[in-house]
Amino acid sequence: VKLEKKSGKVYLDFNATTPIQAELKSALPEVLEVWGNPSSIHWAGQQAKTLLRDARISIANSLGVSPLELIFTSGGSEGNNTVLRGVFEKTRGLARSEFITTNIEHPSVLKTLSHLKDLGAVVHQIGVSKTGELDWEHLSRVLGERTALVSMMLANNETGLILPLKKVTEMAHAVGALVHTDAVQAFGKIPVNLAELGVDYASISAHKFYALKGSGVLFAKKGSDIKPLIYGGGQERSRRGGTENVIGIWAMGFMTSQFSNLSERADRVRALRDQMESEILKTIPQTRVTHADRERLPNTSNLILEGVDGETLLMSLDVKGFAVSTGAACSSGNPEPSPILLAMGLTRPEAQSSLRVSIGWTTTEEEINSFISTLQQVATRLRNLHQRNEPTFQEVTT
Ligand SMILES: Cc1ncc(COP(=O)(O)O)c(C=O)c1O
């Protein structure tokens, strides 16, 4: 493969995925010497098994749970699918079989639930407003003895909004319902203690915290039922068949062993993000930040630049070397505005003029400063074109 040189490029899309941490990259070659099947009894298998065990302990510590409560998966989508489909299968036809979720979840939750709806599931979707408020009235109305599972993300990928998971968990448990959280965006950005949150199930994904793609963890609280999505060998105590992704799992352990200084890292990232937002709001007129007054992930900024088409902005910034997003990663190249922003109550023009900037541990002040000055130039140019009704970059290039 021939890779394009990265010099002069600035990556500001850490919610889509993170680069592999430099220290992890340096440590990888040695671990690649371990190739045994962890299920084998012999020495080769034992080496691999040791890597898995150490990683399980490190990840469990970082989540405040016990190692045996973790199931290794291929990532966030698999964790979400396992819980939702498993609960559906177990509760189908019972008095307690309904699902409650929000309308701002990742597609791996919303599309799975929509599939289950086709199979007969009852699903209640609770709204989250433009100001970040959960529709408590709707939740109280539908939560009850018919609820099997509440699935609510800990933090939203597009605006960084942190949802009131602890309170919702207490409400759900009070009526005997189980709680699952998609903690994919939160884990690695803020400290996450699953025992404190009290949830029954949680999904996390390695590639959001500087580890390798294609691996993740599903937390299933001790005593909670979990039906495998993948049947096979007896791996993961028969809760997930398939030979484990040993290197991917080891990499998650490597990263979580550094989480003791996560708060400091988050503080640094937050300071940089806040500095960027205040400079942008001060110097680019008619600009807003979605969910700015809410508790948010420290790294995420969802900007609305009135009168600027987000997709055109994204492409113009890309030409200049800046990688950002207009919402869900899969929306790139698709002119439809982000359905999640629309679900939050943003108008179509607002959603269409949104830009998601998500920064990370390696983002520097210089990168942010050069991004701000490029955004100022590009936004001004696009607004001028828009006012003169001249074709935009997108129209010229497509
Ligand atoms: C909130 C959220 N949940 C789940 C996922 C899916 O995780 P994975 O890519 O590991 O399947 C993502 C990835 O973008 C996400 O942002």
Side-chain angles (χ1 to χ4, degrees):
V1 224
K2 246 189 145 186
L3 292 177
E4 212 185 309
K5 272 246 182 75
K6 281 191 304 204
S7 63
K9 306 263 188 211
V10 176
Y11 186 74
L12 301 172
D13 197 13
F14 284 74
N15 285 10
T17 196
T18 51
I20 299 165
Q21 199 209 25
E23 290 86 343
L24 168 59
K25 226 188 283 178
S26 316
L28 268 171
E30 197 182 328
V31 186
L32 289 176
E33 299 300 324
V34 180
W35 43 261
N37 185 330
S39 298
S40 304
I41 305 289
H42 49 64
W43 58 267
Q46 278 172 25
Q47 284 182 338
K49 201 171 184 163
T50 304
L51 292 190
L52 292 192
R53 196 200 52 212
D54 292 353
R56 199 185 296 278
I57 293 170
S58 168
I59 301 164
N61 286 342
S62 72
L63 288 164
V65 299
S66 140
L68 290 182
E69 293 177 309
L70 304 184
I71 302 163
F72 293 127
T73 63
S74 65
S77 301
E78 184 186 323
N80 292 342
N81 268 266
T82 305
V83 174
L84 299 171
R85 299 169 86 144
V87 170
F88 174 73
E89 236 187 274
K90 273 211 74 91
T91 62
R92 195 176 196 174
L94 302 180
R96 188 187 280 285
S97 60
E98 294 185 1
F99 289 85
I100 295 179
T101 191
T102 78
N103 61 353
I104 62 165
E105 301 294 317
H106 187 263
S108 55
V109 168
L110 291 183
K111 286 194 182 159
T112 306
L113 285 173
S114 149
H115 168 67
L116 296 179
K117 236 167 137 175
D118 292 343
L119 299 178
V122 175
V123 180
H124 303 280
Q125 259 183 277
I126 309 298
V128 175
S129 73
K130 202 167 167 172
T131 54
E133 190 67 29
L134 190 74
D135 186 345
W136 292 101
E137 190 276 320
H138 188 192
L139 177 65
S140 306
R141 198 158 23 92
V142 294
L143 181 68
E145 58 193 20
R146 297 157 95 88
T147 315
L149 182 80
V150 177
S151 179
M152 185 167 91
M153 65 194 342
L154 181 47
N156 179 264
N157 39 311
E158 306 217 14
T159 69
L161 179 73
I162 295 178
L163 286 109
L165 183 62
K166 192 165 175 171
K167 187 167 169 197
V168 169
T169 302
E170 283 163 6
M171 287 169 71
H173 284 169
V175 299
L178 294 166
V179 178
H180 161 251
T181 190
D182 172 346
V184 165
Q185 284 295 341
F187 190 68
K189 298 193 180 87
I190 52 170
V192 175
N193 186 311
L194 294 178
E196 248 170 45
L197 287 167
V199 295
D200 303 282
Y201 306 107
S203 319
I204 64 173
S205 175
H207 75 97
K208 307 289 185 185
F209 57 98
Y210 308 84
L212 307 178
K213 289 168 185 57
S215 60
V217 173
L218 172 60
F219 161 76
K221 197 195 250 169
K222 189 164 181 252
S224 65
D225 253 331
I226 190 92
K227 269 190 96 54
L229 184 69
I230 301 173
Y231 289 87
Q235 292 92 350
E236 297 302 282
R237 299 161 84 222
S238 296
R239 294 172 299 177
R240 200 270 191 183
T243 303
E244 298 86 346
N245 176 354
V246 178
I247 304 297
I249 292 166
W250 169 82
M252 286 195 285
F254 183 93
M255 290 310 301
T256 51
S257 68
Q258 303 171 35
F259 276 18
S260 53
N261 66 1
L262 199 60
S263 294
E264 291 88 80
R265 285 188 193 265
D267 287 346
R268 188 196 151 268
V269 166
R270 182 181 291 107
L272 210 50
R273 191 267 318 263
D274 290 351
Q275 190 187 322
M276 172 186 79
E277 283 184 352
S278 88
E279 191 60 26
I280 288 173
L281 294 177
K282 208 163 61 193
T283 58
I284 308 181
Q286 290 164 297
T287 305
R288 293 192 297 283
V289 177
T290 306
H291 293 158
D293 301 330
R294 288 278 166 177
E295 201 188 344
R296 275 185 298 158
L297 291 176
N299 78 318
T300 310
S301 186
N302 199 290
L303 303 160
I304 301 175
L305 293 105
E306 270 179 43
V308 179
D309 178 66
E311 284 293 317
T312 313
L313 183 56
L314 179 142
M315 286 188 276
S316 309
L317 287 167
D318 182 39
V319 168
K320 292 181 180 290
F322 296 90
V324 291
S325 159
T326 51
C330 62
S331 80
S332 300
N334 177 355
E336 268 304 294
S338 150
I340 296 300
L341 294 179
L342 292 175
M344 283 172 183
L346 266 73
T347 62
R348 235 184 129 76
E350 280 174 333
Q352 255 157 349
S353 53
S354 292
L355 192 72
R356 181 185 73 181
V357 184
S358 49
I359 67 174
W361 297 353
T362 48
T363 308
T364 63
E365 202 167 340
E366 293 71 50
E367 287 181 320
I368 291 294
N369 289 339
S370 92
F371 172 67
I372 295 169
S373 59
T374 308
L375 185 67
Q376 288 162 347
Q377 287 161 22
V378 176
T380 308
R381 188 170 55 81
L382 292 178
R383 277 180 176 156
N384 287 341
L385 288 176
H386 185 69
Q387 271 165 10
R388 280 187 280 149
N389 248 343
E390 284 184 18
T392 61
F393 175 86
Q394 195 175 13
E395 286 155 354
V396 172
T397 53
T398 51

